[in-house]
Amino acid sequence: MNYDLIVVGGGPGGLMAARTAAADGLKVLLVERKKNVAEIARACLQIFYINKITPNPETGRGEPNMDGYIDPVSAEILPEKCRFHFPVPGFSLDFGGSVRAYYNWIQTSPKGYQIHRYIPNEKVWGFYYQKEAFVAELLASAQKAGAEVMPETAALSAANTGDGVEVKVRRGQTEETLKGRNAIAADGLNSRIVQSLGLNENRHAGAPRHIVAYVVEDVVAPYHDTSFYSWTIPSISGGGNVWMGLLAGGRHLLGVGSGADLPPTTILDNFLKLPAFHDWFKNARVVDKMVTAVTPRASLKEPVTGNVVIVGDAGASAESWVQGAVASGYQAVKAIEKERSGHTGYRDYINWWQKAFAFNYSAYQKLLARVYPLNRVCSDDDIDYLFQLFQDEIGIPALLVTANLDRVKKGRPELYEKIKATLKG
Amino acid sequence: MAYIIGPDCEKCGSCEPECENQAISEGEETYIIDPEKCTECLGNYETPRCFEVCPVGAPGPDKMRKESREQLLAKWRKLHPGKEPKLFEKKA
């Protein structure tokens, strides 16, 4: 059986592609390795960022939300649903599941000094959205539009064959070859499709980061219903920050990412014992756990090869975010249709991809290099000092500090030298 | 010895695409390593990749299956006909 389009991966990107293509009349097959397509098996903060992300490397101010989709998006709250607008690709997406508004991002030191990333309680910078419901709705609309969905089917490789694509999959113990005119690789960070097409050869990969998150009930913290929290506590978490986001039903997701040297569960268990925040968790209960691993890679600069278009995390450096996955799923289908009708669909897609994600900008890469070294060279005491020094500023602590090092030099010259050394090279 | 995924597995699936022998698949309670296909990454990596990637350290050596280095290497050759294994010096 020959398909117009084979979509590999049933996450937000793949499902958006399948739905878009099917609605346009294409014969679509989507393959997903999990048994339950809508199940969220990997730890995810489930945040839909809505502000335009423009990092300001000079002042450290603005909304530098790091590595994802930076085309503008907005959210409209309607009576029974939320409507997400994507003006650049030119579509909107309705969502009937749970959303909770984020007004604050509170960055906290070991003793509890705070630097706000955004002006407190001023405006919404993002929404918690219930990802399981989001994926379930996309799945239903893709199937309603006529896409065929095949769960329990793990894609192994893809090959371009002149005017088509062959995708090798495994169902149980059997291997099968699926044939189509085009394929979309939406199988996430460690995409087997991307690997099999030889696209990882020049993509430098970092060490895997291990992420563990606890689903917690009955946390009571300042502004706990409207805030995202992050804690910089080098003595327990090394180079990573512990974070806490919102979930449906008043719950929170408390998690951390770490390298191989320090198990994330150890960090979280030590965090929950800290006296500075003990009150917040004294009645709290851990009711579930989400985990994942993230192997960061250089992003794919040209996410098209032959008749295969790559979308979402499969081409990203670490995360494209849900809006990036959905936008690229849509754009990929439009690109394929444009290309098939004799226009420069692929080139347009590549040009759009290179501008739409912060991880494709060298300025962003430089910014990233300034953010994390602070955790690695500072002690808990250093962090308390810095957060107290900058507690009336708005922005990302590491960027505020490195852009205003003269203020640190005055009070703590040895700390100044330590931080300055991380900026060399 | 082949590796086996223990009960700490939370089924995030991060291991599955990492296995170059395609030995890993989703089971009921955990992801599962097919012992017929596991060479403990001998032939592919310096150390077992699934263990390195796993955020909770769920994979470990299956003590019930003792296999020598030669047996693992022979298994690798059968899984990758016509290819040469990547071998690493054992660190002191």
Side-chain angles (χ1 to χ4, degrees), chain A residues 33-35 39 41-42 154 156 170 173 175 190 192 195 208 210-212 264-265 289 291-293 295, chain B residues 10-14 16-20 22-26 28 31 34 37 49 51-56:
Chain A
R33 72 170 175 192
K34 298 196 314 294
K35 196 186 297 193
E39 179 193 344
R42 303 178 69 223
L156 302 174
R170 181 181 60 203
Q173 292 297 323
E175 283 187 18
N190 264 330
R192 275 207 191 277
Q195 173 73 20
H210 299 147
I211 294 158
V212 170
T265 41
K289 195 162 149 191
V291 310
T292 193
T295 304
Chain B
E10 296 278 341
K11 290 184 75 177
C12 75
S14 301
E16 191 254 344
E18 295 280 346
C19 181
E20 295 222 348
Q22 292 171 5
I24 305 181
S25 61
E26 184 184 356
E28 275 302 317
Y31 268 68
D34 181 349
K37 292 189 178 161
R49 189 73 186 157
F51 172 75
E52 198 182 323
V53 158
C54 180
V56 294

Side-chain angles (χ1 to χ4, degrees), chain A residues 366-377:
Chain A
K366 293 199 184 91
L367 201 70
L368 196 62
R370 269 170 61 191
V371 173
Y372 291 108
L374 205 60
N375 288 34
R376 289 195 211 112
V377 302

Side-chain angles (χ1 to χ4, degrees), chain A residues 312-353:
Chain A
D313 288 357
S317 63
E319 291 181 80
S320 57
W321 301 338
V322 66
Q323 54 266 52
V326 164
S328 57
Y330 176 92
Q331 292 286 64
V333 169
K334 296 303 172 186
I336 287 168
E337 290 167 354
K338 240 194 272 179
E339 191 79 20
R340 286 281 169 196
S341 69
H343 299 99
T344 58
Y346 296 155
R347 179 46 53 192
D348 292 346
Y349 179 77
I350 292 167
N351 290 343
W352 167 80
W353 168 271

Side-chain angles (χ1 to χ4, degrees), chain A residues 80-226:
Chain A
E80 293 287 305
K81 62 189 168 188
C82 186
R83 181 166 290 161
F84 296 116
H85 295 286
F86 292 76
V88 171
F91 67 88
S92 297
L93 204 54
D94 282 355
F95 174 56
S98 233
V99 289
R100 292 175 72 185
Y102 278 107
Y103 283 86
N104 305 306
W105 183 323
I106 305 177
Q107 300 153 126
T108 314
S109 79
K111 284 212 181 94
Y113 295 110
Q114 295 175 350
I115 295 176
H116 282 261
R117 188 172 289 210
Y118 303 102
I119 295 171
N121 300 312
E122 187 196 46
K123 63 178 179 179
V124 178
W125 57 262
F127 287 95
Y128 156 77
Y129 72 98
Q130 193 178 23
K131 194 174 180 181
E132 208 153 59
F134 186 83
V135 174
E137 284 184 19
L138 274 180
L139 173 65
S141 64
Q143 288 173 312
K144 186 155 171 233
E148 192 185 330
V149 176
M150 208 185 270
E152 294 192 271
T153 306
L156 302 174
S157 62
N160 281 300
T161 61
D163 199 39
V165 190
E166 280 183 5
V167 179
K168 217 195 299 172
V169 300
R170 181 181 60 203
R171 313 196 67 203
Q173 292 297 323
T174 16
E175 283 187 18
E176 213 180 299
T177 301
L178 304 167
K179 293 191 167 93
R181 295 184 81 199
N182 284 92
I184 284 178
D187 50 333
L189 260 192
N190 264 330
S191 163
R192 275 207 191 277
I193 302 302
V194 169
Q195 173 73 20
S196 68
L197 290 166
L199 296 171
N200 284 340
E201 260 149 55
N202 292 319
R203 286 177 81 192
H204 169 71
R209 283 197 75 70
H210 299 147
I211 294 158
V212 170
Y214 293 156
V215 176
V216 196
E217 277 182 354
D218 296 325
V219 175
V220 180
Y223 302 103
H224 64 245
D225 273 338
T226 57

Side-chain angles (χ1 to χ4, degrees), chain A residues 20-40:
Chain A
T20 306
D24 285 351
L26 270 65
K27 185 160 165 225
V28 188
L29 171 69
L30 182 146
V31 295
E32 160 60 38
R33 72 170 175 192
K34 298 196 314 294
K35 196 186 297 193
N36 179 358
V37 178
E39 179 193 344
I40 304 305

